[in-house]
Amino acid sequence: MHAWNNPEVPQVAGSAPTLELFNTATGARQATAPADEAIAPASMYVCGITPYDATHMGHAATYVTFDLVQRTWRDAGRTVAYTQNITDVDDPLLERAAATNVDWRELAESQIQLFRDDMEALNVIPPQNYIGAVESIHWLVPVVEQLLDADLAYRVPAGADGVEGDVYFDTLAAQNDAWKLGAVSNYDRETMLGFFAERGGDPDRAGKRDALDPLLWRAAREGEPSWDGGKLGAGRPGWHIECSVIARKTLPAPFTVQGGGSDLIFPHHEFSAAHAAAGDNAELAQTYVHTGMVGLDGEKMSKSLGNLVLVSKLREAGVEPVAIRAVLLSQHYRSDWFWTEQLLAAAQQRVAAWRQALATTSNEDAAKVVESIRKHMADDIDAPSALEALDRWAAQPAGSNGDGAEALRHGIDALLGLKL
Ligand code: 5CA
Ligand code: ZN
């Protein structure tokens, strides 16, 4: 699928230090490249939208975070291979389409377009590979067939609806050197069971070998879309295998960063890694990076609750995208936080102050501020501190002829994606 247009990213003199990121799997920070491979290509898979109710501030915060990761790598001289998926067939999308009486394909297409426009407005660099679940079915079917052949997957007997042919992953049998249950999330079983039920899993499905076993292939049902699944029979893919296969088909193994919101730690990223390890006995990714949850009025912002602030609505109301992006950067990516009008107003004021200060900045100051931004971004994407460095610079008395304005404007654009 096509993504969106590439923004212009200026080149900036000098280069960033090696980026360190907090890895959920190890609970520790780690460099995203060994020191002697500082300019080796970096690779990243970020879990994309399920295309309905796009693009709310939680989505925007997550994609802007990984955009900052990419910008920091690029500034350090690395090329970046980036894949993002679209979960363009899944239960929640089908349910929303049915509830609102629209064709699920039309709903998906319109929401994907809205997302593209929002990402472009927010100055987010597009992925090279933007791949829908539907497009990837022909990659996925042989992978599930192989898991069945290896007895790492199994068919569950028909349930109440009498449909045969649902295929599940044998979690416990699939454990090996590259992955064991909990390797990504580090959760205990009780926590896993809770999140599994909450986030699309079916712990009570009769006939499973283990309650946590996730669905790999859902056999065709009356009234549901389905595709030819070779030996699997007609059906549609499970969620985790979709991302696992798209990532492995398009990126090196292991790739550098697996990204998404903290709501994907379990079961989604745990099992995406598990499926990859079962197929290849290899780790899926080197670093698992998760963004905190954005909420509104005391609750997580989510489609199911309907408490959404949409990027497109703010844009329609005349809010400058650079101010929205400045709000997102003002919060640390790993914290949970709440969107408020006050945060937006504060960001608008800051953008105005930075713009004003640019006119009189010196070359010397520009170089210092760029170095300070670089240091903060390499430090586990500490965007709030980078913005505070901008505030301190903007608060200095105007004292120069502005010969550093262009260099600093470029630096702020390249490193933070803020076009002032
Ligand atoms: N299609 C799947 C991933 S394969 C999915 O989770 N889609 S989503 O539309 O629900 O979310 C898209 C991305 O935004 C995911 O990375 C998700 O973790 C992140 N996300 C969703 N809600 C929030 C939120 N409130 N705050 C921060 N990030 C969020
Ligand atoms: Zn995913």
Side-chain angles (χ1 to χ4, degrees):
M1 216 173 284
H2 71 282
W4 52 93
N5 293 314
N6 253 298
E8 221 172 287
V9 181
Q11 285 293 319
V12 188
S15 80
T18 297
L19 170 62
E20 286 191 3
L21 289 171
F22 182 85
N23 183 358
T24 305
T26 57
R29 294 211 356 195
Q30 69 192 48
T32 54
D36 57 350
E37 280 183 41
I39 54 166
S43 42
M44 173 162 78
Y45 184 92
V46 180
C47 280
I49 56 165
T50 304
Y52 67 100
D53 285 346
T55 311
H56 65 59
M57 280 312 154
H59 299 146
T62 292
Y63 300 113
V64 164
T65 294
F66 292 100
D67 187 56
L68 295 172
V69 169
Q70 156 138 235
R71 285 169 185 273
T72 307
W73 277 336
R74 283 198 188 195
D75 185 49
R78 304 180 74 183
T79 49
V80 181
Y82 178 18
T83 299
Q84 188 180 127
N85 72 306
I86 311 133
T87 309
D88 57 0
V89 62
D90 199 12
D91 293 344
L93 173 70
L94 299 174
E95 284 158 17
R96 172 58 67 89
T100 50
N101 217 5
V102 285
D103 184 88
W104 64 275
R105 281 159 294 220
E106 275 170 35
L107 175 61
E109 190 37 63
S110 66
Q111 294 291 302
I112 293 166
Q113 190 51 44
L114 192 61
F115 178 70
R116 290 186 183 110
D117 295 342
D118 289 335
M119 289 296 106
E120 214 168 299
L122 291 173
N123 204 23
V124 171
I125 302 170
Q128 289 94 352
N129 311 299
Y130 192 47
I131 299 178
V134 171
E135 290 178 300
S136 70
I137 290 175
H138 67 286
W139 287 339
L140 179 147
V141 166
V143 173
V144 177
E145 286 173 345
Q146 276 163 25
L147 289 173
L148 269 174
D149 288 345
D151 201 25
L152 299 177
Y154 58 96
R155 291 191 176 85
V156 164
D161 61 8
V163 176
E164 298 271 0
D166 292 341
V167 180
Y168 282 79
F169 183 68
D170 190 332
T171 304
L172 298 178
Q175 299 189 94
N176 61 21
D177 293 344
W179 177 85
K180 290 195 173 42
L181 185 60
V184 173
S185 65
N186 298 296
Y187 293 153
D188 59 28
R189 190 172 168 86
E190 200 187 331
T191 308
M192 288 182 190
L193 281 165
F195 283 141
F196 190 76
E198 213 175 279
R199 299 172 179 167
D202 51 358
D204 300 327
R205 170 78 196 257
K208 291 209 298 184
R209 293 179 186 168
D210 188 281
L212 289 174
D213 290 350
L215 179 74
L216 292 168
W217 185 255
R218 177 172 163 87
R221 259 81 172 171
E222 187 78 35
E224 288 184 17
S226 63
W227 289 265
D228 177 17
K231 282 190 256 170
L232 307 176
R236 61 183 164 95
W239 176 28
H240 322 305
I241 189 72
E242 167 212 329
C243 278
S244 187
V245 168
I246 295 174
R248 278 182 294 152
K249 281 283 177 188
T250 55
L251 296 173
F255 51 89
T256 318
V257 163
Q258 158 83 80
S262 59
D263 56 343
L264 299 185
I265 295 172
F266 193 91
H268 189 52
H269 287 169
E270 187 78 52
F271 285 119
S272 296
H275 297 334
D280 305 344
N281 196 9
E283 288 182 23
L284 182 66
Q286 291 166 347
T287 328
Y288 292 84
V289 179
H290 294 105
T291 54
M293 289 292 110
V294 181
L296 185 71
D297 301 333
E299 298 211 71
K300 175 190 161 184
M301 197 177 287
S302 75
K303 309 183 236 214
S304 43
L305 289 171
N307 58 343
L308 306 174
V309 176
L310 299 181
V311 173
S312 54
K313 287 273 180 284
L314 288 183
R315 288 169 53 218
E316 269 168 41
V319 175
E320 271 193 284
V322 68
I324 302 174
R325 187 162 170 127
V327 175
L328 304 175
L329 267 62
S330 73
Q331 306 299 311
H332 195 278
Y333 84 88
R334 289 208 279 129
S335 25
D336 298 333
W337 56 280
F338 295 100
W339 175 272
T340 63
E341 288 288 324
Q342 289 85 332
L343 282 178
L344 179 59
Q348 286 167 321
Q349 276 175 14
R350 290 172 103 176
V351 166
W354 300 332
R355 277 183 176 144
Q356 201 180 5
L358 268 178
T360 55
T361 202
S362 66
N363 256 325
E364 207 183 14
D365 276 355
K368 276 196 214 142
V369 176
V370 166
E371 283 322 300
S372 171
I373 297 173
R374 278 189 170 128
K375 183 173 69 79
H376 291 305
M377 298 310 279
D379 177 15
D380 195 26
I381 306 292
D382 187 359
S385 295
L387 298 197
E388 280 160 23
L390 284 180
D391 292 340
R392 281 194 298 277
W393 150 78
Q396 290 169 15
S400 119
N401 58 4
D403 59 1
E406 168 130 316
L408 185 51
R409 184 179 290 112
H410 283 172
I412 293 170
D413 183 356
L415 296 167
L416 302 175
L418 296 169
K419 280 201 189 293
L420 295 182

